[in-house]
Amino acid sequence: MDRELKANIITISRHRIGSDGGGVRTLVTFYGCPLHCKYCINDFCHNSVSNMKTIDEVLAELMKDDLYFKATNGGVTFGGGEPLLQSSFIKELIEKMPKQWNVCIETSL
């Protein structure tokens, strides 16, 4: 039986304009980061709160803004924490998303 991927999501913040990339954006933020930077803007990402979501749950939330993304050349930004700790989740999510959406990743790398 296939194991369904889940990720620990801080929040899904919709209708962001002028930040996180071009057009209307939705920011998906993930818990977890290997760094503990003194001036981290999302220091709460180190908390152990569990808000596990499946790819289909996140995609359903993102699909609400499909028309905005397509009309404004916008899309999804993944942040955190460190989103690349969830790279398998992000890769599978991107494969299911409409190809017209733009994707950005805000990483600590």
Side-chain angles (χ1 to χ4, degrees), residues 16 20 27 37-46 80-81 106:
R16 298 172 67 92
D20 307 316
L27 175 65
C37 302
K38 184 175 182 178
Y39 298 106
C40 178
I41 62 169
N42 291 335
D43 194 42
F44 53 86
C45 75
H46 296 103
E106 295 175 348

Side-chain angles (χ1 to χ4, degrees), residues 7-70:
N8 201 359
I9 305 289
I10 295 173
T11 190
I12 298 173
S13 180
R14 299 175 57 218
H15 300 152
R16 298 172 67 92
I17 300 171
S19 63
D20 307 316
V24 174
R25 314 241 10 128
T26 295
L27 175 65
V28 179
T29 52
F30 296 87
Y31 281 104
C33 182
L35 305 176
H36 293 273
C37 302
K38 184 175 182 178
Y39 298 106
C40 178
I41 62 169
N42 291 335
D43 194 42
F44 53 86
C45 75
H46 296 103
N47 297 343
S48 60
V49 175
S50 182
N51 186 21
M52 302 300 286
K53 297 213 179 277
T54 66
I55 290 169
D56 288 340
E57 289 172 328
V58 174
L59 184 59
E61 187 69 21
L62 297 174
M63 287 301 295
K64 294 176 183 177
D65 292 326
D66 179 52
L67 292 176
Y68 294 114
F69 297 158
K70 290 175 180 174

